[in-house]
Amino acid sequence: MRISTLIVVFLWLLFGKSVQANDTIRVGVLKYGTLNWEMDVVEKLKLAKQYNLNVERIPLGSPQALLVALQGGSLDVILNDWLWVARQKEAQRDFYFYPYSTAAGSLVTHPQANIKTLADLRGKTIGIAGGNTNKNWVLYRAFFKQQANLDLAKDVTVKFAAPPMLNALLAKGDLDAVVNFWHYAAQLNAQGMTSLVTMPEVLKALKVEGQVPVLGWVFKQQWADKNSETINRFLSMSAQARQLMKHDDEIWKQIPTFTQKYPEQVHPFLIEGYRQGIPDALAEAQKVQLDSLFQLIKANDSQQALTGNLGGLPDDVFWRHTRVR
């Protein structure tokens, strides 16, 4: 009996890593969000198994539902922006942020609106996604003021609406231009409409250089500190999936949530936009850029609706990822 026990212990020590149950990661996704594309790749290629993970995709109907589920503990990770993570510090709620995408909003114009320069926007009707407490509004307003002495709040007619509605209104000619999120802007580009300004151009003009991650993986600090190996494996798996999507054209044909939702003529525009948004690994320079962006937003956010009482971006919002394979 003693010898049998020793054999079992020896075998567990020798092979335990390969036979242990996979660690589970519960990933919150919007039902129709672009994160589903990556999750399809993970499932199609069985990437989770390679990283000894069990990835559960949990679809929810709104960004707010994802936040509630994350805070309540029924999700482990979601995609969200770094500014939300920073603001949680004020409420003593600690989360980590790890970069996912630099893709952001673009200003797209209707071909019949005769808009060739920023000055041509004066007197026009512009739709903006996200409302007047969104980073798009704050940053584009600062950019227009700097570049064309144009005040979005006074010199144009602004209409706030949901992204799909903005696209529909622009297509009908009820709007002259829209500032919409990247994948909605890509769909307009596929219809022959032009992006007059992109967010990277806005940030560069406002002296925020380089790759600036807009979205990132967000997860509780306490959970990640206890499960650092698990979250590192998940982040490495995610990075591998996106590298495949960045370089392999064929893999896009195997993504149901992509091929079944969008017409074929839109595919190249969406793929290009997605690939342009894949950032390099988090570096010290990106932290500096995000802090510069925070200060820029704070300086132009008159009611401090986005930045609150924070004087700067807290250092401990960034997860230090150790890549694994």
Side-chain angles (χ1 to χ4, degrees):
M1 189 71 172
R2 190 172 185 179
I3 293 175
S4 298
T5 302
L6 289 173
I7 291 173
V8 170
V9 171
F10 174 76
L11 290 174
W12 183 87
L13 290 172
L14 186 61
F15 301 109
K17 185 173 182 180
S18 62
V19 300
Q20 68 182 353
N22 290 348
D23 293 322
T24 296
I25 294 274
R26 299 166 299 172
V27 184
V29 302
L30 289 173
K31 288 183 178 179
Y32 304 106
T34 58
L35 178 55
N36 286 290
W37 305 349
E38 179 186 324
M39 292 296 101
D40 281 355
V41 170
V42 168
E43 293 173 7
K44 181 73 175 178
L45 302 183
K46 296 181 171 54
L47 294 183
K49 186 176 182 180
Q50 296 179 27
Y51 289 87
N52 196 32
L53 292 170
N54 176 38
V55 176
E56 293 183 4
R57 183 188 340 192
I58 301 176
L60 294 174
S62 71
Q64 188 59 35
L66 291 175
L67 293 175
V68 171
L70 179 67
Q71 293 176 83
S74 56
L75 295 175
D76 297 315
V77 295
I78 65 170
L79 289 181
N80 200 13
D81 75 31
W82 50 272
L83 194 51
W84 180 86
V85 175
R87 286 295 305 274
Q88 296 307 299
K89 291 288 183 183
E90 290 184 287
Q92 308 302 311
R93 293 190 287 265
D94 294 327
F95 294 86
Y96 284 123
F97 173 89
Y98 187 77
Y100 182 85
S101 177
T102 62
S106 297
L107 172 68
V108 182
T109 62
H110 194 284
Q112 296 180 358
N114 196 30
I115 299 172
K116 305 299 182 184
T117 67
L118 294 179
D120 295 332
L121 291 169
R122 191 177 300 273
K124 301 292 187 179
T125 301
I126 302 177
I128 297 182
N132 60 2
T133 57
N134 183 271
K135 294 192 297 297
N136 278 341
W137 166 257
V138 173
L139 293 172
Y140 271 96
R141 187 177 181 187
F143 173 75
F144 289 147
K145 188 69 176 177
Q146 178 203 79
Q147 297 292 308
N149 194 28
L150 189 73
D151 189 341
L152 275 181
K154 299 176 181 177
D155 298 325
V156 302
T157 299
V158 174
K159 293 186 177 181
F160 297 107
M165 178 61 72
L166 291 178
N167 274 21
L169 291 173
L170 186 66
K172 289 170 57 180
D174 293 342
L175 296 173
D176 298 307
V178 298
V179 174
N180 214 343
F181 303 128
W182 77 267
H183 48 300
Y184 289 97
Q187 294 172 63
L188 294 172
N189 295 153
Q191 298 174 37
M193 301 187 194
T194 304
S195 290
L196 183 65
V197 183
T198 65
M199 183 59 79
E201 293 169 334
V202 169
L203 295 180
K204 185 176 181 179
L206 296 173
K207 308 303 181 184
V208 181
E209 300 284 350
Q211 290 186 318
V212 182
V214 177
L215 287 177
W217 289 114
V218 174
F219 37 92
K220 285 185 176 180
Q221 285 191 6
Q222 185 178 21
W223 173 82
D225 290 341
K226 291 180 179 178
N227 299 277
S228 59
E229 184 184 349
T230 301
I231 189 61
N232 281 334
R233 277 185 276 132
F234 173 80
L235 294 175
S236 293
M237 180 201 71
S238 173
Q240 182 184 354
R242 280 178 286 140
Q243 284 302 309
L244 290 169
M245 296 168 73
K246 187 172 185 177
H247 299 291
D248 186 349
D249 292 338
E250 291 300 311
I251 204 168
W252 288 88
K253 300 175 183 177
Q254 306 176 52
I255 303 176
T257 53
F258 176 75
T259 58
Q260 294 175 14
K261 180 178 179 181
Y262 301 98
E264 191 170 349
Q265 64 268 24
V266 181
H267 291 180
F269 296 88
L270 289 170
I271 292 172
E272 180 182 4
Y274 184 90
R275 287 173 167 173
Q276 289 177 350
I278 299 174
D280 298 328
L282 179 64
E284 290 296 322
Q286 285 180 311
K287 299 175 196 172
V288 173
Q289 291 160 355
L290 284 179
D291 195 61
S292 297
L293 181 53
F294 179 91
Q295 298 299 339
L296 175 64
I297 293 172
K298 192 171 186 68
N300 291 278
D301 180 20
S302 58
Q303 298 181 349
Q304 305 298 292
L306 291 171
T307 56
N309 296 319
L310 290 173
L313 200 57
D315 288 335
D316 62 348
V317 302
F318 299 103
W319 174 252
R320 272 71 174 178
H321 172 38
T322 302
R323 292 192 177 275
V324 295
R325 186 72 174 91

